[in-house]
Amino acid sequence: MRRILFSAIALALAGASMSGVAAAQSAAPSAEVIGTTQLPRDVRPTHYDVAVTPHADSLTFDGKVTVAVEVIKPTASITLNAIDLTFSSVSLSPVSGQASFAAPKVSIDAKAQTATFTFAKPLPIGSYKLSMDYSGKIGTQPVGLFVLDYDTKAGKKHALYTQFENSDARRFIPSWDEPAYKATFSLTAIVPSDDMAVSNMPAAQKTDLGNGMTRVQFQQSPKMSTYLLFFGAGEFDRATTTSDGTEIGVVTQKGVSSQAGFALDSAKAVLHEYNDYFGTPYPLPKLDNVAAPGTSQFFGAMENWGAIFTFEYVMLLDPSISTQGDKEEVFGVEAHEMAHQWFGDLVTMRWWDDLWLNEGFASWMATRTTEKLHPEWHAELDTVGIRESAMSLDSVATSHPIVQRIETVEQANQAFDAITYSKGESVIRMLENYIGADTWRDGVRRYIKDHAYSNTVSDDLWRAMETVTNKPVTTIAHDFTLQPGIPLIRVTSETCKNGSTTLALTQSEFTRDRPNKTPLRWHVPVIAESIGGKTVSAIVDGHASLVVPGCGPVVVNAGQAGYYRTLYTPAAFNALSADYAKMQPIDQIGLMEDTYALGMAGNEPASLVMDLIKAAPDDSNPALWATMAELLSSFDSYYRDTGARQQQFRSFAIARLEPELTRIGWEAKPDEPTMVTNLRQQLIGVLASLDDQNVVNEARRRYAAQSTDPKAIPSALRKTIYAVVATHADAATWDQLHTQAQTEKTPLIKAGLYDMLASSEDEALAKRALDLSITDEPGATTSANMIDTVSRLHPDMAFDFVVAHREKVEKLVDGPSLSQYYPRVARMSLDPAMVGKLNDFANAHIAASARRNVNTAIANIQYRIGVRNQRLPAIDAWLKKNG
């Protein structure tokens, strides 16, 4: 959410038949290497022949599947996964030389999500074909096979897509729906003749059936996990290019393929880069990116092998509204999902415990590739923010290790979080930095080669790495992946002698909610330098001494590749603060983020970060300005509803940020750096949220002038200006935006307008948005996002609303998101009563094994209340002292 074969296999994949590939791939592993499974281990599939006929108007489909299975040990029953499937017939036939079997008894266990076929006598060891005729449901949320309705200038349209990760292929095919049960797939679909059908592989044959229907048979897939299968059908356009002999496509609704140009060019460049980096060519004959209208509360894109699914907002660029940030997001999402084609699809984690092998690596690969192919975007400066998103979750008691124990489908759903993605990415970056980029690449190539078309656990990767380096990769990796938490490196003393500085370092643990916790222990790769000097490194395990050339202020975690926080002595911090302007931008950002987090947690005065914000030079890197804006906005959220105290804070924040907006201006300059373009939007948004009337009034002026002055709202600022106007709207303006949303025919713009209607700071208008969200008007996948948007400024009202309208709300949220959605709505609350509300809701509606998100939300609400009560007084005092 989202690998080593050589040219002969790649060539075989390009043909109409996959038999050559199947022969090249290893035989199905024995049951003993499956690892964790929720299914009996006595039968496993090797191939699925699937035929489906969707009936979108009735939200049903008919299916027939014949599965080639191997009975590994005698059994009288076959159990596989199935949800909301009704079986009309089930039969089993031997491949050769075995007795036939009468039709089995079919029993369904809805809670276990299984179907069991019981036979009159045990099945001997051998090969069989299991045939099933069945019917299923088409959903209106992105789970299983689903339909999306959308507006166009030609009227209402709909299209079908699938979403199977992590455990929803069982809604489409009765199957062994676990990642270790890899098999090949042959898919056939009957669709309207005017529709384009898309799957993992190219179409092998199309047959006109008359009555406006066509049968499309796709080429056989490579051996893969069920969750990577894809099917889509609708009135589509497909733009194409080629890269290294592979056809690349972007599939869109009709009429908007022109918005796919950047995505197509990016995919071409990224595929070439990955073919080289992974040391093996992409093994399928084509790679599509399928862009669909709508949204999901669970995901934005999915790495189906050869048919990546995305929503339009993360794949297409509409010149009337898209921004530089949108462009960068398109590239990042593509680079992430395309990395999965190797890391996740070709080589797949054995079980969801090791999901990070997919997601952490794809995230790291996307950032690395962005840095290489678009250096002008300076993605390396974003890595601190990526690390911070992980540390926010990793610093409270409800955190979990990167490699985590998964026992249920719902726990697997909850594993898609910042620990899996962002901590996984950050730890990989640290390890790559530790052993060297070229050596790390050699280890990745070895891992891919050794495990192509099979399943792995994390230790398989560490073994591959230790074949290319003599450094203790496994020891460090185990510390950071098998236990939760964040190391805290304390600089206990600095001594300058003979032109070098000796640092005394001790290790502890950073936590936001357990000040007396017994710290865990890590082997931490630490890099330090005197500002502008030579870097030195050491592994810190408890205590260490590090000699750094030079006698100036020393930056620990120089380059910010380490996953740890650094706590300096007051004297060392003051020295760094005095020379703050001389530090590299990435270290300026890292020091500021560390100082903020340490202050909010009570490890040092909370006001120290304000000293850094004040000390930052006016000509600071745009990324540092963006960090300051983000932190000031975060402080402001703690000051909500404090009256004069908040006004005092806002006066300082506006005075600090507004001159920078004035300097860069509202109008883009020719050839300005992209970082400045992005900063402009962020400063306008943050200053408006601080109620800077100069900014709010300018946004309103431009909004009002757009009907007579086409240049009043540059396309790059359209979303930003509309968002400011919507947040500060009166009833008349809200009604105007509502009318515009109702009449808009472009799904990408329409969904954005409804989301803006939910962003009002006015409680009465926010209530109108909530009431609107549970009507049919916004659209099935837009409504849940509206409620979430309301919750950012009105969390208590939004949570009370979703609880009061739970039955309606749950129809608007895709199933995997339900246990996450309610606590997310409550997450910004500062009311102690919310803790009780969340607990009461969880006790009534969420299984005890699926409450991690609830517990995390509670931990963060309690932390936010603590910050408000215990840390803001220090900020108040600093503001009074500093005017």
Side-chain angles (χ1 to χ4, degrees):
M1 261 178 243
R2 17 324 89 290
R3 286 187 249 195
I4 167 151
L5 296 182
F6 298 96
S7 57
I9 295 177
L11 181 62
L13 280 163
S17 170
M18 288 294 297
S19 58
V21 175
Q25 296 163 3
S26 61
S30 66
E32 284 71 24
V33 301
I34 293 175
T36 301
T37 178
Q38 295 175 335
L39 295 171
R41 299 168 184 256
D42 43 22
V43 179
R44 62 179 299 124
T46 59
H47 177 74
Y48 295 82
D49 270 311
V50 187
V52 294
T53 304
H55 309 291
D57 292 341
S58 61
L59 295 180
T60 62
F61 69 93
D62 298 319
K64 180 178 179 63
V65 61
T66 299
V67 189
V69 299
E70 299 291 333
V71 174
I72 299 169
K73 59 183 180 180
T75 178
S77 64
I78 296 176
T79 298
L80 43 63
N81 294 114
I83 305 179
D84 290 337
L85 300 181
T86 302
F87 295 89
S88 56
S89 70
V90 179
S91 63
L92 183 77
S93 60
V95 171
S96 62
Q98 300 175 21
S100 60
F101 294 85
K105 176 185 176 182
V106 179
S107 59
I108 305 296
D109 186 332
K111 184 176 181 180
Q113 303 181 358
T114 59
T116 298
F117 310 132
T118 304
F119 298 87
K121 56 183 178 180
L123 310 176
I125 293 172
S127 301
Y128 300 83
K129 289 189 175 181
L130 176 66
S131 297
M132 296 163 278
D133 291 332
Y134 62 98
S135 59
K137 299 178 180 179
I138 298 175
T140 57
Q141 295 297 326
V143 180
L145 176 62
F146 63 97
V147 64
L148 289 177
D149 296 317
Y150 57 96
D151 290 301
T152 73
K153 292 173 182 170
K156 288 273 188 183
K157 301 289 182 181
H158 67 253
L160 294 169
Y161 308 92
T162 58
Q163 165 58 21
F164 294 154
E165 190 178 34
N166 47 270
S167 305
D168 287 301
R170 61 192 68 178
R171 298 178 184 273
F172 186 64
I173 310 170
S175 56
W176 283 258
D177 192 20
E178 296 180 355
Y181 286 105
K182 287 193 170 188
T184 55
F185 294 82
S186 295
L187 176 65
T188 300
I190 296 176
V191 299
S193 298
D194 290 338
D195 283 1
M196 179 188 297
V198 183
S199 189
N200 308 77
M201 298 294 290
Q205 185 177 357
K206 296 182 181 180
T207 306
D208 187 348
L209 302 179
N211 298 318
M213 303 300 288
T214 294
R215 179 189 294 115
V216 182
Q217 181 180 350
F218 296 97
Q219 294 176 25
Q220 183 175 306
S221 79
K223 186 175 149 187
M224 64 185 189
S225 303
T226 48
Y227 76 89
L228 298 171
L229 186 65
F230 177 77
F231 168 68
E235 295 185 18
F236 297 151
D237 284 337
R238 182 171 182 259
T240 62
T241 187
T242 59
S243 181
D244 297 346
T246 299
E247 182 177 87
I248 298 174
V250 177
V251 178
T252 70
Q253 60 165 295
K254 272 195 175 296
V256 300
S257 60
S258 61
Q259 298 177 12
F262 178 72
L264 202 60
D265 291 342
S266 297
K268 180 174 182 175
V270 170
L271 189 66
H272 178 73
E273 171 65 19
Y274 286 176
N275 282 336
D276 174 70
Y277 187 88
F278 290 116
T280 184
Y282 172 75
L284 276 66
K286 64 94 176 175
L287 175 57
D288 281 324
N289 288 275
V290 182
T295 60
S296 165
Q297 296 302 301
F298 185 58
F299 74 107
M302 173 60 206
E303 66 268 19
N304 313 296
W305 212 0
I308 295 166
F309 175 87
T310 63
F311 290 104
E312 288 181 343
Y313 72 89
V314 289
M315 185 54 54
L316 305 183
L317 295 175
D318 185 329
S320 69
I321 62 166
S322 294
T323 66
Q324 173 63 28
D326 294 331
K327 188 175 184 179
E328 293 176 19
E329 183 177 23
V330 167
F331 186 89
V333 169
E334 273 204 289
H336 179 104
E337 304 305 329
M338 289 175 67
H340 276 309
Q341 305 299 297
W342 286 263
F343 246 107
D345 297 1
L346 181 59
V347 180
T348 312
M349 79 271 139
R350 185 181 297 171
W351 183 246
W352 302 107
D353 295 8
D354 287 290
L355 176 64
W356 87 285
L357 282 175
N358 288 13
E359 300 301 348
F361 268 82
S363 297
W364 161 76
M365 196 70 183
T367 303
R368 173 210 165 272
T369 304
T370 304
E371 290 179 42
K372 181 172 182 180
L373 298 185
H374 284 286
E376 74 279 10
W377 295 349
H378 293 283
E380 71 280 359
L381 298 179
D382 296 332
T383 60
V384 178
I386 292 167
R387 184 185 72 197
E388 291 302 310
S389 69
M391 287 185 170
S392 176
L393 194 59
D394 205 18
S395 55
V396 294
T398 55
S399 184
H400 61 83
I402 289 177
V403 178
Q404 54 189 305
R405 180 62 180 158
I406 300 295
E407 296 180 348
T408 67
V409 168
E410 188 55 56
Q411 287 176 359
N413 292 335
Q414 294 183 347
F416 293 83
D417 64 8
I419 300 296
T420 296
Y421 285 76
S422 299
K423 183 175 181 179
E425 173 180 354
S426 299
V427 169
I428 292 166
R429 182 174 299 108
M430 178 175 66
L431 291 171
E432 180 201 28
N433 189 67
Y434 172 62
I435 71 171
D438 290 344
T439 304
W440 181 264
R441 181 199 59 206
D442 292 343
V444 169
R445 288 178 174 177
R446 178 65 178 264
Y447 170 81
I448 295 293
K449 180 177 181 178
D450 288 348
H451 302 287
Y453 296 105
S454 62
N455 299 86
T456 60
V457 295
S458 294
D459 275 353
D460 292 320
L461 177 66
W462 310 138
R463 278 190 288 270
M465 288 297 165
E466 293 200 339
T467 66
V468 297
T469 181
N470 58 4
K471 293 184 177 181
V473 175
T474 299
T475 298
I476 297 170
H478 279 178
D479 286 352
F480 282 89
T481 62
L482 300 183
Q483 60 184 2
I486 306 163
L488 175 63
I489 300 298
R490 296 175 180 267
V491 182
T492 57
S493 69
E494 293 187 14
T495 305
C496 179
K497 185 177 181 180
N498 299 327
S500 295
T501 301
T502 300
L503 301 180
L505 306 176
T506 62
Q507 182 191 132
S508 184
E509 182 176 355
F510 173 75
T511 173
R512 291 191 290 145
D513 60 351
R514 293 153 294 162
N516 299 317
K517 178 183 183 296
T518 300
L520 298 173
R521 192 159 171 172
W522 296 260
H523 291 80
V524 185
V526 171
I527 297 176
E529 69 173 24
S530 294
I531 294 177
K534 181 181 177 181
T535 61
V536 295
S537 62
I539 299 294
V540 178
D541 174 21
H543 302 270
S545 179
L546 192 59
V547 179
V548 182
C551 283
V554 176
V555 178
V556 177
N557 204 4
Q560 304 301 309
Y563 187 81
Y564 56 88
R565 294 211 182 278
T566 306
L567 180 60
Y568 296 93
T569 63
F573 178 84
N574 290 338
L576 285 170
S577 182
D579 278 357
Y580 194 58
K582 297 178 183 178
M583 294 170 63
Q584 291 296 315
I586 195 166
D587 291 325
Q588 291 176 323
I589 295 168
L591 179 63
M592 186 171 286
E593 291 281 15
D594 265 353
T595 304
Y596 174 80
L598 290 164
M600 293 297 97
N603 295 94
E604 60 187 12
S607 60
L608 287 183
V609 72
M610 300 296 285
D611 290 331
L612 287 182
I613 290 173
K614 184 178 180 182
D618 291 342
D619 61 352
S620 291
N621 186 284
L624 180 59
W625 275 108
T627 299
M628 290 190 286
E630 178 185 4
L631 294 181
L632 290 170
S633 179
S634 179
F635 270 124
D636 187 61
S637 72
Y638 290 110
Y639 273 109
R640 188 173 65 226
D641 300 327
T642 60
R645 293 174 68 199
Q646 185 174 38
Q647 290 306 313
Q648 177 180 248
F649 173 79
R650 286 182 166 184
S651 294
F652 167 80
I654 291 170
R656 189 71 185 97
L657 298 177
E658 193 177 58
E660 180 62 9
L661 177 59
T662 300
R663 187 185 71 80
I664 65 175
W666 283 65
E667 305 289 341
K669 299 175 179 62
D671 301 321
E672 72 179 9
T674 56
M675 296 174 71
V676 172
T677 304
N678 291 334
L679 178 63
R680 176 181 296 109
Q681 297 163 41
Q682 183 174 8
L683 287 176
I684 292 171
V686 169
L687 283 164
S689 73
L690 296 168
D691 206 25
D692 181 343
Q693 288 304 299
N694 292 331
V695 171
V696 173
N697 291 339
E698 177 63 8
R700 285 171 169 165
R701 183 193 71 76
R702 289 172 177 266
Y703 175 79
Q706 64 182 319
S707 59
T708 57
D709 180 7
K711 296 182 180 180
I713 302 183
S715 59
L717 287 180
R718 183 171 301 276
K719 287 195 293 188
T720 304
I721 288 172
Y722 266 60
V724 172
V725 170
T727 301
H728 295 82
D730 57 17
T733 304
W734 195 94
D735 287 337
Q736 184 181 12
L737 288 168
H738 186 197
T739 299
Q740 190 173 346
Q742 290 173 310
T743 57
E744 179 58 53
K745 300 301 181 186
T746 301
L748 192 62
I749 299 175
K750 189 181 188 77
L753 287 168
Y754 277 106
D755 195 46
M756 289 176 187
L757 288 172
S759 68
S760 177
E761 62 185 7
D762 182 275
E763 285 194 10
L765 296 178
K767 179 62 169 63
R768 288 178 64 183
L770 290 173
D771 292 337
L772 179 62
S773 72
I774 56 173
T775 69
D776 293 335
E777 180 187 317
T781 67
T782 301
S783 293
N785 211 52
M786 291 181 65
I787 299 170
D788 185 55
T789 299
V790 170
S791 75
R792 296 169 196 173
L793 293 178
H794 311 282
D796 303 285
M797 179 172 66
F799 184 79
D800 291 345
F801 181 87
V802 295
V803 171
H805 300 86
R806 185 175 65 84
E807 290 187 6
K808 290 183 178 179
V809 168
E810 292 194 357
K811 295 177 181 178
L812 306 172
V813 180
D814 34 330
S817 304
L818 281 173
S819 66
Q820 306 169 36
Y821 185 74
Y822 293 96
R824 188 163 76 240
V825 168
R827 69 194 184 281
M828 295 301 291
S829 177
L830 287 164
D831 184 355
M834 182 59 75
V835 172
K837 290 181 181 180
L838 272 171
N839 274 321
D840 290 345
F841 181 85
N843 290 336
H845 303 294
I846 298 178
S849 61
R851 293 187 188 173
R852 176 187 291 165
N853 294 102
V854 169
N855 295 335
T856 299
I858 289 172
N860 277 287
I861 290 168
Q862 292 172 330
Y863 167 76
R864 288 175 57 78
I865 293 170
V867 167
R868 185 182 177 108
N869 294 335
Q870 299 166 24
R871 311 293 175 227
L872 289 194
I875 307 302
D876 294 337
W878 187 94
L879 291 168
K880 290 179 180 177
K881 180 180 178 181
N882 289 271

